[in-house]
Amino acid sequence: MIRNIILAISLIILAFPAAVSAGKAKPLTPVDIAREELSGLPVKTELKLVREKGLGNEGFRIDSLPGGGFIVKANAEAGLLYGAMRLKKAMGKTASAAEAAEAARDAKLTGTSVPAFPIRILNHWDNLDGTIERGYAGSSIWDWENLPPAGISPQPDTVPQSNAVVSRLREYAKLNAAVGINGAVINNVNASSKILGEDYLRKVATIADELRPYAMKVYLSVNFAAPMQLDRLPTADPLDQAVQKWWKRKADEIYKLIPDFGGFLVKANSEGQPGPCDFGRTHADGANMLARALRRHGGVVMWRAFVYSPGDADRAKQAYLEFQPLDGEFDSDVIVQIKNGPIDFQPREPFSPLFGAMPATDQMVEFQITQEYLGHSNHLAYLAPMWEEFFEDVRPETLKGVAGVANIGDSENFTAHPLARANWYAFGRLAWDPSLSSEEIVDEWLPLALDGYRKMPEEVREGLREMMLGSREAVVDYMMPLGLHHIFAFGHHYGPEPWCDVLGARPDWLPSYYHRADSAGIGFDRSPSGSDAVGQYPEPFRSRYADVETCPEELLLWFHHVPWTHRMKSGLTLWEEMGGLYQRGLETVEKMQGQWGAAQPWLDSYIYKDVERRLMTQARDAKWWQDACLLYFASLNGRPWPSAARPPIHTLEELNAIKLPISNYECPPPPMLDSVR
Amino acid sequence: MIRNIILAISLIILAFPAAVSAGKAKPLTPVDIAREELSGLPVKTELKLVREKGLGNEGFRIDSLPGGGFIVKANAEAGLLYGAMRLKKAMGKTASAAEAAEAARDAKLTGTSVPAFPIRILNHWDNLDGTIERGYAGSSIWDWENLPPAGISPQPDTVPQSNAVVSRLREYAKLNAAVGINGAVINNVNASSKILGEDYLRKVATIADELRPYAMKVYLSVNFAAPMQLDRLPTADPLDQAVQKWWKRKADEIYKLIPDFGGFLVKANSEGQPGPCDFGRTHADGANMLARALRRHGGVVMWRAFVYSPGDADRAKQAYLEFQPLDGEFDSDVIVQIKNGPIDFQPREPFSPLFGAMPATDQMVEFQITQEYLGHSNHLAYLAPMWEEFFEDVRPETLKGVAGVANIGDSENFTAHPLARANWYAFGRLAWDPSLSSEEIVDEWLPLALDGYRKMPEEVREGLREMMLGSREAVVDYMMPLGLHHIFAFGHHYGPEPWCDVLGARPDWLPSYYHRADSAGIGFDRSPSGSDAVGQYPEPFRSRYADVETCPEELLLWFHHVPWTHRMKSGLTLWEEMGGLYQRGLETVEKMQGQWGAAQPWLDSYIYKDVERRLMTQARDAKWWQDACLLYFASLNGRPWPSAARPPIHTLEELNAIKLPISNYECPPPPMLDSVR
C-alpha cells in the first residue's frame, strides 16, 4: 500500500493536463486529484501521508506552514483529497496570498476533520433506460449507451462520446469529493436484474474506474430474484444452495472487474419487489445470504426497512413491526437502511421509531435529497434543517452510515434548480459532520455557488440566507402544516389532492388514509387510543407524542385526530391556525421572490432568471396548495374561509380537474425558461 | 287625454290578473302597472292625477294620508307610475302597517321628485342575430324569432313562446320603470338597415306596445346608408331630395305602427359606419335631415360624437375638433350624444371637453353600463362613483339627457353578474337625480337586491357597502392607475396587453399609442408641449390639467409623460407608486372576497356562490393585470419589481401567449358555476 510512502509535494506551479484526458493512461489517484485542486491557489500547499491516530482512513489535519501556506496530513490518500478539497473551497476564489490567508482564517481552516460515518453514499434511483424514478433533473448521468465498457478496446468513432460521458462523471465525482461523499448506488432500488449481466457490469466498472480517484466506491441495487431472472434458476430462496452459489459467483465476477466494489443495496418485499419472504424466509435470511457472498471481498449489504403491506392498520408502524423482531439476526456486514421518518420522505415527519430499536443491528439512515414530496425541482426547499431536526432526535453515533436519494440528473447544472445543489452539498456535509448547523452549511455554500455573493451588500446576503434557511419550513406550511402528510396527488406526488380517491387503489396510497379529515376534525390518531404508533417510540418521545397537550404542534396531526375547534397555543382554533400557516407559507415564498430579486445585480443573468421563474412557479403552487387543502377541508367542516388565509383564487371543481400529465420521473415544467435563454 | 281625469283608486285589496296575461286584451296603462305594484302593500295607498306646477310630465309628489297611508300625485300617468314604484321600493318588503310606516320614514318617502333630464335612456348594442356587441350577459332579450309582430294574428302554436318573450319584456320594463328609465334604443349603433324593414318594424311595435305601460319609449339606431341598402337608392346624401323623402316615408311608416316612437340614434362616420361625410356633408347636415323626417311626429335624433380618424395626432382631441365647430348648426330636435370621456369608456377618464363647448347645441352624455373595459361580467365594479365623478365636473343642467349602454342580456338575472344589476339601477337613479351619491344609491339597492340584507349584522352590511363602493376604484388600481388607459388586449378588451402590436392595426387601436411607455417614463403628453388636448378644456380645468404639479394624480399619465423617477405626493417614485396601486387594487379585491364571504349566512346560496366565483376570477385577473403591466413596464425601464407589489406569478412570455378565444360579445367564463348549481 502506498500508505507508508511519504508524499510531500509542493503544488504551486505544476499543472496536470493528463488528469482531464480519458483513455488508457496510468490511472489517476486521489492524490492526483488533490494536486489538481490545489494548483493555482495563491499560497503554498503541501500534502503529506502520515500515520496518525484518530484520523482514520478518511480524516485529515490541516496545519499552517511556517512562513505561510498550509499542509494537509492524512493516513490515506482519501484524506489528502478531502483536505485538499477543503483548502480549495476556502481559498479557491482568492487572488492573492493575503486574501487567501484571510479566507483561511474566516473558514477556520486548520485543525482535524474526521467523518462521523464510514458510509456517506448517494442512492441513484436511475433506471437502465435513462429515466430516474422521482428524479427531476433530466435523465440519468450514466448514459449507458455511450459509456465505454472497461477492458474492451473502444471503437475509434465512439471516443468523442465516451470522453464526454467520462468528463461528466469526473465533474460529478469531484462535486461529491468536495463534500466527502464516498460512494454511490448507481441504479434504482426497484432494480432491473440486467445490471448484473456482463455487459452492464463492464460499464459499471468504467464508472468505478472514474470515481475511484475521487475516493468514491460504486454500489449496486440488486433484484432479489436476479438468479431466476438472469439464469432461470427455479427459485431465489436464500437458503437454497444453488441460489447462494449463484450470488457468490456473481460477487466474484463483480470484484474481478471492480476490486473495490462497495456492495449491494436491496429493496425486498416492498411495493411489489421480490424478496426472501416470497420463499418463507426472513429479511435477515435474505440479507445475510447476500452478505456472505460479498464478505470475502469486503462488500456490505444495505437492506432497506421500507416495507408496508396493504391492509394493516397503520402504515407508520409497519417497518418497526417487521424489522424490530429481527434484531440480532443480521450478520455484521448487513446494515439496515431506514428512511428518516416512518412513512415516506414527507416535508415533515417524526423520526422512525426503528432507529435505536435494534441495538444488535447496524443501521443507517436514508434521506431523500431529490424533492419527491417537496415540489420537485420547481420549489426551493433547502433541506438541511430537515436533516438537522433528524439528528436532534437520533444520535449520529448510533448510525453506520447516511444515504441520500440523489437529486442529480443530466441537466446542465446536475440538479435542474440551481439552488437544489445546496441539498446535495448539505447532505454531504452533514454526512461528514452531523453537528454542523444549517446556517453554517449555507454560509459555506452560498459563496461557492454564487460568484457575486461576496460582493453583495450585507442585507442582500442576509436575504438570501433567510430565503434558503426558511424555504423548507415554507414548504411544510403551504403543503402540510401541523403534521399533515401525504395528501399529494396520486402517482406523481407534486400537487395537492386531499380529496383523491382512485378506484381500486390501496387505502394507504390515498390521502384520506393519512389526513382522516371529517366534519368534526382532522388528523391520524396514533395515540394509545388510536393506532398506538406512539407505543413504538422510546421515552421521552412516547409520552410527549401520546398526549395532545405535550405533542409538538408541528406534529399534532401526525399523532392525533383533533377537532377543528381545538385551541392551539396561539389561542386560535385549529382551523384558523391552519389557515394562518398556509398563508405564512405562501407569504414566505413571496418574500423569497423579493429576496432573490434584490440579489439580481450580483447574479449571473441566466441563473437569476432560472431561479426567478422557479420561485414564481413555487408561489403559484403555494396558492394552489392553500386553496386545494382549505377548500377541501372547508367542504367537510362547513366552516368559513380562515380569516388569515388569502381568499381562494381557484375552485374545488377546477382543482379537482387538474391532472398533471407527468410520470413518476418528471417535474411539471417551470414557465418557458428557454425563451429567455 | 286622460291627464284631466281624476283617478283616486284605493288599491289595498284589488288584484289584477289581467295585467300579466298577453294578447289582445285592452292595452295596459301606466296606472294599471302602478296599481299592480301597490297591491299587497300593508298600508293604504292612493294615486291621483292632478295639475301641479313643477311636477312636469314625469314628476310626482307623495303625501301622507290622514290616518295613515300615502297618496301619489302627478300630472301624468308616468308620474303616478314612478311614484307608485317609489312606494313599492320603500315598503314592498314590509309585512305590517307599522313596519311600512317605519320604512317610509327611513326612506324619506314624502315630498316631490322630478327627473333632472327628460331623456333617460338605455342603449342596447344588440344585433339582429341575437349577439350583443360588448354585452356579457347572454343574448339579446328581444328574441326576434319568437317576438310576435304587431297587427298580425298569431299562429296558435307560437303563442307559448310569444308569451314567454312578452313576459320577459315586461319584467325588463318594470325594472326600468322602477328607476325612471323612460326609453330604450333597442339595436346596436353599428346598425343593420334591416331593422327598418316592415317585418322588423312590426316586431319593434310589439316591443313598444309592451314597454308603453311602463312609460318607456322605443328608439332605433339607424344606419345612415339605409336608403341605399334597403331600397337601392344611389346615394344617402342628406341633401338629396330622394333621400330626404325616403326617410320621411320611413318615419311615417314607423309612427303608424308606433305612435309614440322616440326617435333615432346615429353612429355616423365612425369606425367604418356610413355617414353624411361620405357625401361631403357635415354631421349637422345628416342629423338635421333625419330630425326633419321625425319632426312632425315628435321624434328626436341623438347623434353620436364618438368619432376619431386614423392618423390624427391625438385621438382624445378628435370629437371636439370635429363637432365643436358645428355648434349652432344642429336643429333643435337634434341632441349630440357624447361619451363621458374623450376616449372610450376607460375605467377612469377626464370628462370630454366637448361638454359645455357647444352652447347652442343640445347635448347628452353616453355612459357605458356594460363593463366593456371593467372586467365584463366577471368583475364587480359598481359604477356610480364613476358617474358621480362626471357630474362633479359637468353640470347636469347643461344636458338634455343621459344614455347608458346597457349591460342587459337574456341571462336569468339579466346582467349575469348578480351585483351588476346595481349599475343598471344606479344609472337610472342618477339619470333621474344626478345629485344622489353613490352611497345613497347603494343603500337603496342592497336591501332591494339581497333579501337577507336587513338581517345582517351591521359590520357585515358595512362590509358589503364598502365592497360595492370601492369596487370601481379597485378596477382602476389593478388595471390602469394614474390615468393610464386603453392597455387592453386587442379586440375583446378584457385582459391586459400593454405590449400589444398587431400587424397593420391602426396605431390608435394599440396600447402603446396610449401608454407611451419607454425606458425613461410613461404617459401621454397632452400638455401644451405635447398634443395640447388640455387646450380644449375650459378653465380652471385647462390650467389644472396642463401642469404636472397641479394635475390630479389619478389623471397624471392621461395628460403627461412622466419619468419613472418622478416624485409623487406620497414621496415615492412614480414606479414605486404604480406598484403600490396595482397592489392596492389586488388587495381590495381580496378584501371584497372576504366581505362577501362574511355575508354568506344571509344570502341565497346560488347567488352567494355565483358572486364568490366571479370575485375569485376578479382576484386572479387583478394579479394578471399587475403582473402583465409591471413586468412589461419593467422590461422597458429595467427597474426592479416595485417593493409594494406582490412578486409576479406569471412570466411575460406566458402572458404574451394568452389569447382569449372570445369575440367582442363574450365574457371569459367564470369557473364552472353550473357544477354547483
Side-chain angles (χ1 to χ4, degrees), chain A residues 589-591 593-594 597 600 612-613 616 619-620 631 646-654 657 671-672 675-676, chain B residues 589-591 593-594 600 612-613 616 619-620 631 640 646-654 657 671-672 675-676:
Chain A
V589 177
E590 288 169 355
K591 192 170 178 194
Q593 288 183 279
Q600 178 172 16
E612 182 190 33
R613 272 144 208 249
M616 185 180 293
R620 285 199 272 219
L631 285 170
R646 192 176 294 159
I649 56 167
H650 307 90
T651 67
L652 257 190
E653 294 74 22
E654 283 178 300
M672 293 170 295
S675 61
V676 297
Chain B
V589 177
E590 289 169 354
K591 193 169 177 193
Q593 290 182 277
Q600 178 172 15
E612 182 191 33
R613 274 146 207 252
M616 185 181 293
R620 286 200 272 218
L631 286 170
R646 192 175 295 158
I649 56 165
H650 307 90
T651 67
L652 257 189
E653 293 74 22
E654 282 178 303
M672 293 170 294
S675 62
V676 298

Side-chain angles (χ1 to χ4, degrees), chain A residues 616-640:
Chain A
M616 185 180 293
T617 303
Q618 186 168 6
R620 285 199 272 219
D621 291 346
K623 185 58 180 154
W624 176 20
W625 273 94
Q626 178 183 89
D627 284 0
C629 296
L630 295 179
L631 285 170
Y632 173 70
F633 295 141
S635 78
L636 302 179
N637 66 24
R639 291 175 180 274

Side-chain angles (χ1 to χ4, degrees), chain B residues 546-604:
Chain B
D547 183 349
V548 76
E549 293 307 321
T550 57
C551 182
E553 286 193 338
E554 71 253 28
L555 291 172
L556 184 65
L557 305 181
W558 186 283
F559 287 115
H560 298 278
H561 188 81
V562 179
W564 296 109
T565 52
H566 175 79
R567 262 317 133 185
M568 303 295 289
K569 294 195 179 96
S570 62
L572 299 173
T573 62
L574 169 64
W575 176 236
E576 286 289 336
E577 177 97 356
M578 193 180 286
L581 291 173
Y582 275 103
Q583 182 63 19
R584 187 175 74 176
L586 172 59
E587 288 179 5
T588 302
V589 177
E590 289 169 354
K591 193 169 177 193
M592 286 157 59
Q593 290 182 277
Q595 288 161 332
W596 184 248
Q600 178 172 15
W602 297 274
L603 292 169
D604 166 84

Side-chain angles (χ1 to χ4, degrees), chain B residues 237-249 289 293:
Chain B
D237 181 349
L239 302 196
D240 182 282
Q241 287 203 340
V243 171
Q244 294 167 356
K245 212 165 148 188
W246 188 93
W247 281 107
K248 283 211 167 77
R249 274 205 312 266
M289 181 274 288

